[in-house]
Amino acid sequence: MCQHQPACPTSDSADREAARLVAHHPEQGWSLLCNGVLLFEDTGELLPDGRIIAPRRTRDAGPLVTAA
């Protein structure tokens, strides 16, 4: 799928998010990478074979503060 030299990481590699952008739609919250990965703004991913990678959330986000 990737025509770049050197080739971008495949969708199965650990660094798959380093592939180049093909389409970017921040208003919709997603980007398509040249390896076929759909990357969502919440850090979730949809791989070309249909597998879902759950969003990665930081554990040190701190306490949630709400207005009274």
Side-chain angles (χ1 to χ4, degrees):
M1 188 181 263
C2 177
Q3 302 298 319
H4 304 110
Q5 291 300 325
C8 291
T10 67
S11 61
D12 291 329
S13 56
D15 60 345
R16 65 181 154 258
E17 294 174 13
R20 293 190 188 184
L21 285 173
V22 173
H24 181 60
H25 293 277
E27 73 282 358
Q28 296 176 359
W30 62 271
S31 298
L32 176 63
L33 304 179
C34 74
N35 57 8
V37 173
L38 273 173
L39 182 61
F40 297 95
E41 69 181 12
D42 68 354
T43 70
E45 300 173 22
L46 179 61
L47 303 184
D49 64 3
R51 287 183 290 154
I52 297 169
I53 306 297
R56 295 173 303 282
R57 293 181 173 83
T58 60
R59 301 173 84 187
D60 298 337
L64 177 64
V65 178
T66 58

